[in-house]
């Protein structure tokens, strides 16, 4: 049987779990065939969260987390294949993003680190794995992120209007797909990461469903202004960010001179901050293009009713939808993208967009980890 199936795996900055997407390339263009999700075990999530927030660890712990995360990826792949009665030999490759624990593209020695041992994943699934996608782009002078806009361009581009794909995960990023123009894509700032961290600290919940807690509070203009007064927002793309900047320590520093606020007021302000930091990047696009504009939202934020209401209210000239409305499950877009990136790598095709990442040239991304043992020497 010809291997036209690819699996994509994604565990994002929210650390809620692992998304899996099975993509079918048998007809040339990619089609989402099936999806799955596995929650992150609490002990693993706690340790990964501490590592991502502080950057401090030991080599022993780092190696163990690399191994444990790979076993989680193994579990979801093997469970998925068994439940669907799929033979591993039918899958050409797994595209595994891994878990970003530190992303530093602008330092003297730029780097991006993802963990989740791809060798272990290949060995225990019997499927070739493509991983380590970001560093090749960085080797050619790019930010190493975002990489998903190339996939967005392949599946959502149109000739009569501007489509902007907005992924609201822990960090929000956009892909601007304008007819006859180079794709632009970059991180706009926080999506859910501060909202999730704040509600977990005060209510022990993973996330604020539909923005229910944020609705109980009032937006603080003083805090909102302080949050928006962050140098990252004035940087011109290409740019990328993560929990290395936008974390509770950063929030605490911003709150120092704004007076006493209730916890729900802070939550309300954080939601408005995420929305306004996104809208601030979108408003100039419609004026510059002169074309109808549509916003396609995916990621966890697409399920936050209050966040979607605020986006719609602040973008009255835009059509605001989700990617699910257009046939691609909003929870699976990033996992689908890494299946697509794996397909590109296995066929020796370039996968980055220099107009997005700032790389010097388009290059093939990812390292291949074969499942089959090499022949005897």
């Amino acid at each position: 049987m010809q291997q036209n199936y690819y699996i994509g795996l994604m565990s994002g900055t929210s650390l809620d779990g692992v998304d899996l997407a099975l993509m079918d390339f048998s007809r040339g263009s990619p089609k989402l065939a099936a999806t799955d999700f596995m929650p992150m075990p609490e002990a693993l999530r706690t340790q990964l969260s501490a590592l991502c927030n502080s950057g401090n660890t030991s080599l022993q712990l780092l190696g163990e987390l690399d191994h444990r995360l790979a076993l989680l990826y193994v579990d979801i792949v093997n469970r998925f294949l068994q439940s669907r009665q799929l033979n591993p030999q039918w899958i050409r490759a797994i595209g595994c993003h891994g878990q970003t624990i530190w992303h530093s593209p602008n330092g003297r020695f730029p780097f991006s680190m993802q963990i989740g041992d791809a060798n272990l994943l290949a060995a225990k699934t019997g499927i070739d794995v493509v991983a380590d996608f970001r560093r090749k782009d960085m080797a050619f002078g790019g930010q190493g992120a975002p990489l998903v806009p190339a996939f967005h361009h392949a599946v959502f581009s149109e000739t009569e209007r501007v489509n902007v794909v907005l992924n609201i995960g822990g960090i929000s990023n956009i892909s601007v797909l304008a007819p006859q123009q180079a794709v632009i894509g970059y991180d706009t700032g926080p999506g859910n990461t501060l909202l999730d961290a704040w509600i977990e600290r005060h209510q022990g919940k993973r996330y604020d469903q539909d923005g229910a807690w944020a609705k109980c509070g009032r937006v603080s203009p003083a805090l909102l202004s302080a949050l928006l007064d962050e140098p990252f927002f004035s940087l011109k793309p290409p740019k990328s960010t993560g929990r290395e900047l936008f974390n509770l320590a950063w929030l605490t520093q911003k709150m120092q001179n704004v007076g006493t606020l209730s916890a729900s007021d802070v939550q309300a302000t954080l939601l408005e901050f995420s929305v306004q930091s996104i809208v601030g990047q979108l408003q100039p696009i419609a004026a510059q293009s002169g074309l109808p504009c549509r916003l396609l939202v995916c990621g966890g934020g697409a399920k936050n009713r209050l966040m979607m209401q605020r986006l719609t209210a602040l973008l009255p000239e835009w059509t605001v939808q989700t990617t699910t409305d257009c046939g691609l499950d909003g929870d699976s877009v990033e996992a689908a993208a890494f299946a697509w990136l794996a397909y590109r790598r296995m066929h020796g095709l370039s996968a980055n967009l220099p107009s997005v990442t700032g790389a010097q040239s388009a290059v093939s991304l990812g390292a291949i980890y074969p499942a089959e043992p090499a022949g005897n020497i």
Side-chain angles (χ1 to χ4, degrees):
M1 180 175 179
Q2 191 172 358
Q3 294 175 306
N4 293 314
Y5 289 112
Y6 287 74
I7 286 175
L9 297 177
M10 182 69 188
S11 54
T13 51
S14 62
L15 295 172
D16 58 340
V18 182
D19 290 304
L20 179 151
L22 178 69
M23 299 293 286
D24 181 0
F25 289 84
S26 60
R27 298 181 181 178
S29 58
K31 179 182 179 182
L32 182 63
T35 65
D36 202 354
F37 174 79
M38 180 172 284
M40 183 80 69
E42 188 59 36
L44 180 58
R45 177 181 177 273
T46 298
Q47 289 186 301
L48 285 172
S49 181
L51 174 57
C52 292
N53 285 329
S54 70
N56 297 321
T57 188
S58 66
L59 291 177
Q60 179 76 27
L61 179 58
L62 181 62
E64 290 177 357
L65 289 174
D66 185 48
H67 189 108
R68 288 165 60 191
L69 190 60
L71 292 180
L72 182 66
Y73 296 151
V74 169
D75 286 346
I76 187 173
V77 170
N78 287 339
R79 182 189 75 177
F80 172 79
L81 294 176
Q82 291 167 8
S83 67
R84 301 274 175 163
Q85 297 183 323
L86 294 172
N87 190 320
Q89 295 181 352
W90 299 347
I91 312 298
R92 180 64 188 90
I94 298 169
C96 182
H97 172 265
Q99 182 65 50
T100 298
I101 56 171
W102 207 259
H103 183 67
S104 181
N106 299 316
R108 182 182 176 190
F109 303 105
F111 74 96
S112 186
M113 182 176 290
Q114 288 75 40
I115 61 172
D117 187 352
N119 293 288
L120 196 59
L121 177 58
K124 289 188 173 294
T125 60
I127 302 170
D128 292 351
V129 174
V130 183
D132 191 14
F133 289 95
R134 300 193 181 277
R135 294 195 295 176
K136 184 69 170 289
D137 181 84
M138 297 181 78
F140 280 81
Q143 291 268 313
L147 299 181
V148 178
F151 174 68
H152 293 161
H153 176 62
V155 298
F156 290 121
S157 291
E158 294 184 320
T159 59
E160 302 298 326
R161 63 178 165 185
V162 176
N163 282 327
V164 175
V165 183
L166 166 64
N167 175 61
I168 309 177
I171 299 296
S172 294
N173 55 72
I174 58 172
S175 303
V176 183
L177 312 173
Q180 300 180 338
Q181 293 185 27
V183 177
I184 300 171
Y186 56 93
D187 291 344
T188 63
N192 299 315
T193 186
L194 293 171
L195 289 162
D196 293 348
W198 188 254
I199 195 171
E200 183 169 17
R201 169 180 286 186
H202 290 274
Q203 296 193 353
K205 298 179 180 179
R206 290 281 189 92
Y207 62 94
D208 184 10
Q209 184 159 357
D210 286 330
W213 191 38
K215 281 184 181 180
C216 297
R218 299 178 63 182
V219 173
S220 164
L223 178 57
L224 180 60
S225 177
L227 296 175
L228 289 169
D229 186 24
E230 167 59 46
F232 173 81
F233 299 118
S234 62
L235 295 177
K236 294 183 179 180
K239 60 180 180 178
S240 55
T241 189
R243 290 167 57 147
E244 307 80 26
L245 172 60
F246 294 108
N247 52 48
L248 287 181
W250 176 87
L251 175 61
T252 299
Q253 186 271 326
K254 292 289 186 179
M255 292 174 62
Q256 287 180 352
N257 300 314
V258 299
T260 302
L261 297 173
S262 70
S264 60
D265 286 350
V266 174
Q267 187 77 355
T269 307
L270 289 175
L271 187 142
E272 187 67 13
F273 166 53
S274 291
V275 170
Q276 288 204 21
S277 63
I278 293 166
V279 169
Q281 302 298 314
L282 297 179
Q283 286 174 328
I285 294 173
Q288 293 170 3
S289 70
L291 294 171
C293 292
R294 180 173 66 161
L295 182 65
L296 298 174
V297 188
C298 59
K303 296 186 288 188
N304 185 316
R305 190 175 305 171
L306 180 58
M307 189 172 284
M308 291 296 291
Q309 288 172 351
R310 291 299 296 146
L311 284 169
T312 302
L314 294 177
L315 295 167
E317 297 181 357
W318 288 63
T319 300
V320 178
Q321 297 178 307
T322 67
T323 58
T324 304
D325 297 329
C326 300
L328 185 55
D329 176 39
D331 289 333
S332 305
V333 173
E334 288 206 316
F338 281 91
W340 181 83
L341 287 165
Y343 171 88
R344 302 284 293 183
R345 178 65 185 90
M346 298 302 289
H347 288 80
L349 303 171
S350 63
N352 65 331
L353 293 174
S355 62
V356 171
T357 67
Q360 297 159 6
S361 61
V363 292
S364 181
L365 302 179
I368 300 172
Y369 297 79
E372 294 298 323
N376 295 326
I377 296 176

